[in-house]
Amino acid sequence: MIGRWLISLGFAALVSAAMSAAAQSGPEPPLPTIGFYTSGAATWPEAAIEVITGSLSRVASPVRLDADQLASIDPETYPLVVVADAARVPIELPEALAKYAECGGHLALLGGPFFHEPLWRYKDRALNHSQLAEAVAQDIRPSVLLDFESAGARWRNHTDRHPSRSAAERIEGGAAGTQWALKLDVSTEAGWDTFESPPLEPIDDPAAVLTTFWAKADRPGGELVVEWRERDGSRWMATIRLTDRWRQYILPVEALRYWPDPRIPSRGGPGDRFHPERLASITLGLAHSHTLLPAEEGRRAIWIDQIALAAPPAELRRPADLADGGMDVPVIETASPGYKLIPVTNAAALRINSALGVAGANLPLVQHIHAPTPRPEGTGLDRGRPWRFVALVESLDEKGRAQAAPASLLIPEAGGIVLSAPTGDSGFFTQSVASEWLKAVIARMIDGVFLYEGGAKFYVAFEGEEMPVGAVVINRGREPARVRVEVAVEDARGREAYRRGWNLELVPGERRRVADLWRVPAGSGDRFRVAARLLRADRAIDRIEHGLRVWRPKQSPEFIQARGGDFYLGDRLWRAHGVNYMPSSGAACEDNEFFEYWLDGRAYGPEIVDRDLVNLKDLGLNSVSAFVYHRSHGSRNLLDFLIRCEGHGLKVNLSLRPGTPMDFQWAKIREMIEANRLAENDTIMAYDLAWEPLWGDQAARRRFDGQWRRWIEQRYGSVEKAEAAWGCPAPREGRQIAGPSDEQVSGDGPWRKMVIDYRQFQNELLDEAYRRARDLVRTVDAHHLVSFRMTIAGDPTSPPARMAYDPAGLSGAVDIMEPEGYGRIGDWERVRPGWFTVAYCRAVAPQLPVIWSEFGHSAWDANLGRASGDRLEFAGRFYDDFYRMAWLSGSSGTFCWFSCGGYRFNERSDFGILAPDGSLRPQAEAIRRWAAKMIESRPRPAIDHWIPIRLGCDADGVAGVYRRVEREFWAAVAEGRNPGLRVDPQPAPTGGDQAEV
């Protein structure tokens, strides 16, 4: 029985099992030699080091190494290295440790966060980061571009808030003894408010890669965007944090990020950087794309002085190390860079995992606990994972639920095993129970024989099918190993349904797969437990287990329906209070495929998914949005995910990928629906068939020029007749008719009638493509609603040149209106236009529910290398405002972006509503506060002030409609009324008869 396998293993038994291969072969050989390192600048007391090395000496012979020895360490000589107080190490050490692990050396890192306080050798001194910056500042010889000691040309203001009261003026009182400086008075309420310098002459020194200047603000904690523009128009930007005192800043080129611009396709690629010798100007100020909206709304004063460029001193080996936000360290999974480690703030107890430790034992609870970002464990068979993650120690919250792994073992497919124990308190490792635990783990690492994965091929079965069950065993030690692998399956009552064992002999470096077929019983229960265990000399030294569900359709499924502009579950009005879900195991991962294709076999971890869903349900959420790619659906992880969502009372808005209805890949979409029997699954609330499409700018719209030409000919008979009706010539590229320019779609002009026709063409094209896609889905699934997330559709403040889809063109082609809320980021004045978006969607499609498919704000601060407190506080205020808007506007639901916190590598962001340890961020607290209201089965607020609108009258589309009714709309709100929009039944004129409205 599996339950009998999970016996507690004493420490002595564990160590004995780890070393039993030697015992079987005769006299015990000498203990293996391992390396031990702690920096001379370490803060741990020598007494603690002696306790740790004394404990390790019972299973190995630790040799104290210095940094020079580690720089060229050989795994053949030292198969394992222990680094104590790994927070403070020389800057060169992480690279050496990474190479050591890549070559097969086992690495144990204790204390942390790892490499958090690196030391640089600069002029024979060991300096921390701030000391290094101060020393470099003393040694550089800047070429000053702007010193403000004499009056110069005016700085030009760029802002989206007109008329602007912002100013850039030269004032007395410069930095570091200078007489004059530049003072910026900028708005914190604008989307961006910046000032660009007069044209600058580039310096003739390509080595001058350091930007340096002095700055301060009227209050501490603010931010400043620094933007260099090159002569080709490319823009390179960085954000710095300011204090209320003058400080000199030094930015290496590595701190400057390219701002994507489709007009300059040749820039911003791999290896590209800002070139000071090509500079044209510098821009300074605030922008919500890069800086935080402060709690105090209004204005911000910033002083700037001595803007210069400088070459780094010869003694500075890596100028990139001057950048804030951490150093350039190699990737050691579960260890570095620093974004891979999360602070554990909610630990009520620390429990040793019974897989490789002692079941039920608790470790001493200490402060300053960190944990690696979780990764999927080795459950299942043939999952293709690049590693096995073992949570050696689990931190339990107040409810006794495991939320993080303050100590873990990572067993990679290739390379050395890594023990990550980033607890900064040396006293933790000197406690007797922790000391014994560490000794046992080190013994297992030296032994090197582990299960790599074990269990069944799928987490979900269909009754009666045959399914492979088995395990993969590896030997990363130096000695041959005789082991036994046993795999068993039990039902929900603990009755054995299957058992099989294999005796194996593994030479060092060998990997062995063993498996058999198990037929899933028909007509029996739907819950099983699959377990694999590894035994040596009849002692269990490793185990892996997981649940398995048998999927059957419900006898009486109940699907979400849409009618009268609302959702219904049966006869009860239903509203979505949801979040976009991706697992917490996808954070801090450089492998974008692992992050993106999270339902693939190698990326999915059911134990992590279930923990996430429990945390989300606790917030009062009733739904999640998730996506699945065609390449992933065969893993059946989607079915496991849906079963888990149903178990926690969560409906799923499911995006099916790839493609969009504009290039619909129907064969793949159909296969996903049919193979997973999704049409019978009432956990799904709707299908999402496209992810944030829009027409885009003029360059993106060129792909539709041929269809536009055909539309003109069908409508008017010829281009010449169309031009006569419009009163303006059609744009051309060469001899071919092209779509309107960005300028033309952004506002009225002689081209007005032509652009209105172009928008009508777009709407007809949308209707045709999206209606066809929905109708195809309905041929295999008549139960589920069909729509897509519409990005800036219906956004009245988005730049018209981006050309969003018009909800009016989608009203007959989708079952739900799904705008996004990223254009609403800011204070209430920025959030509230979402009320108009809802009203507009209901005006053009009164029969459809309206949900917000995404909204959120990243709390990641690149300067700090973590989510910052002020950004989190802002996100909490923003969520409160957004839910207020959604509530007042009568939205049918919201899905914020997104579920679990942590660093998203490819986007350099952290949108998570939960901290990586599962604790509540301000956003999550807002979600919980609003939960009762958002899911309440209530009628929508009655409209008591109707405002007529006419469609097809404005070159700038929805923005033009808003411009006409904005004053009346908000005046009604100010008077306590609930405004609504009603489409004027009089049809808008078309073609040459378009009237001025």
Side-chain angles (χ1 to χ4, degrees):
M1 305 292 282
I2 294 174
R4 296 176 184 171
W5 290 1
L6 307 184
I7 58 174
S8 298
L9 303 176
F11 280 119
L14 182 64
V15 177
S16 174
M19 311 302 292
S20 62
Q24 293 174 21
S25 59
E28 287 192 11
L31 294 175
T33 300
I34 65 173
F36 187 91
Y37 173 83
T38 185
S39 167
T43 59
W44 285 11
E46 184 60 30
I49 300 298
E50 290 177 358
V51 170
I52 295 171
T53 55
S55 176
L56 296 179
S57 65
R58 296 164 60 187
V59 295
S61 296
V63 176
R64 295 287 287 266
L65 305 174
D66 60 28
D68 291 336
Q69 290 171 307
L70 277 184
S72 58
I73 191 167
D74 181 3
E76 289 298 320
T77 305
Y78 296 99
L80 186 145
V81 168
V82 178
V83 180
D85 193 9
R88 292 175 60 83
V89 298
I91 186 66
E92 299 84 7
L93 189 60
E95 189 70 41
L97 294 176
K99 290 180 179 177
Y100 168 77
E102 288 174 6
C103 294
H106 301 330
L107 183 61
L109 299 174
L110 314 179
F114 307 136
F115 321 141
H116 182 61
E117 301 176 62
L119 300 173
W120 283 264
R121 180 63 58 180
Y122 185 79
K123 292 185 174 180
D124 296 326
R125 291 184 295 161
L127 305 177
N128 63 27
H129 189 268
S130 61
Q131 292 168 337
L132 178 68
E134 291 172 3
V136 170
Q138 296 294 319
D139 292 345
I140 59 175
R141 298 292 179 263
S143 299
V144 178
L145 300 171
L146 292 164
D147 61 10
F148 309 107
E149 293 303 293
S150 59
R154 296 175 63 87
W155 287 56
R156 187 170 53 159
N157 185 221
H158 301 286
T159 182
D160 67 337
R161 181 68 57 99
H162 293 288
S164 174
R165 295 188 291 111
S166 301
E169 58 179 330
R170 181 170 163 264
I171 54 98
E172 287 192 83
T178 63
Q179 185 175 355
W180 295 87
L182 179 72
K183 180 185 178 184
L184 304 180
D185 181 12
V186 289
S187 169
T188 62
E189 298 174 342
W192 61 90
D193 196 3
T194 61
F195 282 88
E196 184 179 5
S197 72
L200 300 175
E201 287 295 324
I203 63 172
D204 188 19
D205 184 4
V209 294
L210 302 180
T211 298
T212 176
F213 56 90
W214 291 78
K216 69 172 182 175
D218 55 356
R219 71 203 82 169
E223 295 178 321
L224 172 71
V225 171
V226 179
E227 174 192 326
W228 284 111
R229 188 183 296 262
E230 293 187 29
R231 290 184 170 182
D232 63 359
S234 59
R235 302 163 63 192
W236 302 85
M237 308 172 77
T239 303
I240 63 168
R241 282 188 165 264
L242 301 172
T243 71
D244 56 357
R245 296 184 179 183
W246 283 112
R247 175 191 162 187
Q248 186 176 12
Y249 294 85
I250 303 177
L251 301 176
V253 291
E254 290 82 0
L256 298 160
R257 303 292 184 184
Y258 178 68
W259 183 256
D261 188 338
R263 296 170 297 182
I264 316 174
S266 61
R267 298 304 305 273
D272 196 8
R273 64 169 179 82
F274 166 59
H275 289 271
E277 72 275 14
R278 306 174 192 167
L279 69 87
S281 65
I282 190 170
T283 297
L284 306 166
L286 301 179
H288 289 316
S289 58
H290 289 73
T291 56
L292 181 68
L293 178 73
E296 306 87 4
E297 299 162 5
R299 312 201 64 76
R300 175 61 55 90
I302 300 170
W303 288 263
I304 307 290
D305 199 7
Q306 300 293 307
I307 300 173
L309 291 167
E315 296 84 355
L316 184 64
R317 188 168 65 89
R318 298 193 304 189
D321 291 338
L322 291 173
D324 287 335
M327 60 177 178
D328 181 18
V329 297
V331 172
I332 303 176
E333 187 55 55
T334 70
S336 71
Y339 54 73
K340 289 186 178 291
L341 300 178
I342 60 178
V344 179
T345 64
N346 56 356
L350 299 180
R351 179 181 66 194
I352 297 176
N353 185 341
S354 60
L356 296 177
V358 176
N362 280 358
L363 289 169
L365 189 62
V366 294
Q367 295 181 335
H368 310 301
I369 301 172
H370 282 73
T373 300
R375 300 299 184 216
E377 299 178 7
T379 59
L381 187 66
D382 303 330
R383 309 302 286 176
R385 296 191 183 102
W387 54 64
R388 175 190 171 195
F389 178 90
V390 184
L392 295 175
V393 176
E394 298 169 314
S395 65
L396 310 181
D397 63 14
E398 293 179 349
K399 297 180 179 179
R401 298 182 309 202
Q403 297 286 7
S408 71
L409 208 64
L410 191 84
I411 307 169
E413 192 171 27
I417 299 167
V418 177
L419 166 62
S420 174
T423 296
D425 188 343
S426 63
F428 170 83
F429 296 98
T430 59
Q431 297 284 335
S432 60
V433 64
S435 178
E436 288 292 308
W437 165 82
L438 177 61
K439 177 191 67 176
V441 173
I442 295 298
R444 287 289 288 115
M445 293 176 70
I446 294 170
D447 177 51
V449 182
F450 294 92
L451 292 170
Y452 188 78
E453 64 179 0
K457 183 174 179 61
F458 301 114
Y459 302 123
V460 176
F462 298 116
E463 58 184 359
E465 74 170 320
E466 285 192 332
M467 180 181 296
V469 293
V472 174
V473 190
I474 61 170
N475 182 358
R476 295 289 174 79
R478 294 191 167 191
E479 300 294 332
R482 291 182 179 180
V483 295
R484 178 171 175 81
V485 181
E486 293 185 354
V487 178
V489 182
E490 291 180 355
D491 65 15
R493 296 183 180 181
R495 296 175 299 190
E496 188 171 279
Y498 169 88
R499 177 187 290 270
R500 174 72 196 275
W502 299 265
N503 295 317
L504 305 176
E505 293 188 16
L506 286 82
V507 299
E510 187 175 1
R511 170 191 176 113
R512 187 83 62 85
R513 177 187 183 273
V514 291
D516 196 3
L517 292 177
W518 166 60
R519 184 174 295 280
V520 180
S524 61
D526 65 350
R527 296 173 186 265
F528 292 88
R529 197 78 186 163
V530 186
R533 66 170 182 165
L534 182 65
L535 301 97
R536 175 181 272 167
D538 296 326
R539 292 193 180 98
I541 62 172
D542 201 355
R543 68 174 176 80
I544 297 175
E545 63 176 282
H546 67 83
L548 184 145
R549 295 291 298 272
V550 178
W551 188 88
R552 298 185 182 95
K554 292 180 181 178
Q555 294 295 319
S556 302
E558 191 173 38
F559 297 94
I560 296 286
Q561 297 178 320
R563 55 180 184 267
D566 288 307
F567 293 117
Y568 284 86
L569 186 57
D571 295 328
R572 183 176 66 86
L573 191 147
W574 184 86
R575 299 191 185 282
H577 186 41
V579 61
N580 284 271
Y581 178 76
M582 295 181 76
S584 53
S585 54
C589 184
E590 298 78 14
D591 182 349
N592 190 59
E593 285 205 354
F594 186 89
F595 171 84
E596 184 76 5
Y597 302 103
W598 64 273
L599 283 167
D600 274 5
R602 74 188 189 109
Y604 187 78
E607 64 288 337
I608 295 173
V609 170
D610 206 69
R611 181 175 69 203
D612 292 344
L613 296 179
V614 169
N615 290 337
L616 296 176
K617 185 62 178 179
D618 275 359
L619 299 179
L621 297 171
N622 66 359
S623 48
V624 298
S625 278
F627 57 81
V628 59
Y629 283 88
H630 177 266
R631 63 175 259 180
S632 305
H633 85 96
S635 69
R636 295 192 195 166
N637 292 331
L638 172 61
L639 283 178
D640 183 79
F641 174 68
L642 292 173
I643 288 172
R644 293 178 187 278
C645 285
E646 180 183 27
H648 296 299
L650 297 167
K651 295 293 184 183
V652 180
N653 186 31
L654 183 62
S655 172
L656 303 177
R657 296 180 172 186
T660 77
M662 300 300 288
D663 56 348
F664 201 41
Q665 299 186 37
W666 170 232
K668 292 181 178 179
I669 301 300
R670 177 173 186 158
E671 183 182 358
M672 284 191 280
I673 295 173
E674 292 182 335
N676 294 280
R677 301 178 68 176
L678 300 183
E680 303 170 76
N681 198 318
D682 65 357
T683 302
I684 299 170
M685 63 167 282
Y687 293 129
D688 187 339
L689 297 186
W691 197 277
E692 302 177 324
L694 70 167
W695 297 110
D697 61 12
Q698 185 177 9
R701 297 192 300 268
R702 286 195 181 102
R703 61 180 288 214
F704 302 105
D705 283 353
Q707 290 157 294
W708 167 233
R709 290 192 290 269
R710 290 191 292 274
W711 187 91
I712 293 172
E713 292 168 357
Q714 291 171 0
R715 176 62 59 93
Y716 290 98
S718 68
V719 174
E720 292 74 21
K721 291 180 180 178
E723 291 175 326
W726 297 334
C728 75
R732 286 171 169 78
E733 290 195 0
R735 295 183 179 181
Q736 294 293 330
I737 299 297
S741 67
D742 290 342
E743 177 191 8
Q744 290 171 332
V745 301
S746 297
D748 283 340
W751 52 77
R752 177 172 171 271
K753 296 175 182 178
M754 181 264 293
V755 173
I756 291 173
D757 261 359
Y758 186 77
R759 289 187 177 275
Q760 178 61 29
F761 150 73
Q762 290 180 325
N763 283 352
E764 292 177 12
L765 190 59
L766 274 183
D767 180 83
E768 178 185 358
Y770 279 78
R771 187 187 295 268
R772 174 179 176 272
R774 183 187 61 183
D775 291 348
L776 284 171
V777 170
R778 286 178 174 173
T779 63
V780 296
D781 185 347
H783 300 302
H784 290 114
L785 305 172
V786 180
S787 189
F788 71 104
R789 59 191 63 208
M790 300 173 178
T791 188
I792 54 174
D795 184 344
T797 61
S798 178
R802 296 180 67 191
M803 292 211 81
Y805 286 179
D806 187 343
L810 294 162
S811 61
V814 297
D815 299 324
I816 312 169
M817 287 293 177
E818 298 189 25
E820 294 183 346
Y822 295 114
R824 307 276 61 83
I825 298 174
D827 59 5
W828 173 248
E829 290 302 309
R830 284 201 159 268
V831 171
R832 73 173 191 169
W835 195 336
F836 170 87
T837 297
V838 175
Y840 181 80
C841 288
R842 294 203 179 278
V844 300
Q847 77 281 11
L848 302 184
V850 182
I851 64 173
W852 291 95
S853 58
E854 287 190 30
F855 69 94
H857 188 265
S858 173
W860 189 259
D861 188 321
N863 294 308
L864 300 177
R866 57 178 170 79
S868 67
D870 51 1
R871 289 177 180 268
L872 289 168
E873 290 173 9
F874 166 75
R877 297 196 307 274
F878 168 59
Y879 269 59
D880 258 324
D881 284 339
F882 202 94
Y883 285 123
R884 174 187 169 196
M885 178 274 294
W887 165 262
L888 292 172
S889 65
S891 302
S892 304
T894 58
F895 289 88
C896 57
W897 183 271
F898 66 40
S899 51
C900 302
Y903 183 60
R904 178 173 174 178
F905 180 79
N906 68 329
E907 198 177 79
R908 299 186 178 93
S909 66
D910 181 353
F911 280 82
I913 58 174
L914 294 170
D917 65 350
S919 59
L920 303 192
R921 286 176 165 177
Q923 307 97 299
E925 292 170 349
I927 290 170
R928 178 173 282 176
R929 282 194 300 273
W930 280 93
K933 278 191 172 184
M934 296 306 293
I935 66 176
E936 182 183 11
S937 181
R938 64 176 179 99
R940 277 182 277 130
I943 304 298
D944 55 14
H945 183 83
W946 289 101
I947 302 173
I949 60 172
R950 294 186 68 188
L951 306 180
C953 296
D954 298 282
D956 51 354
V958 174
V961 177
Y962 184 61
R963 185 177 59 252
R964 295 178 188 278
V965 304
E966 177 182 7
R967 183 173 299 177
E968 182 180 356
F969 192 95
W970 298 119
V973 170
E975 294 168 3
R977 290 180 287 172
N978 184 33
L981 305 179
R982 178 178 287 151
V983 177
D984 190 327
Q986 180 181 349
T990 59
D993 297 325
Q994 291 155 341
E996 298 295 335
V997 178

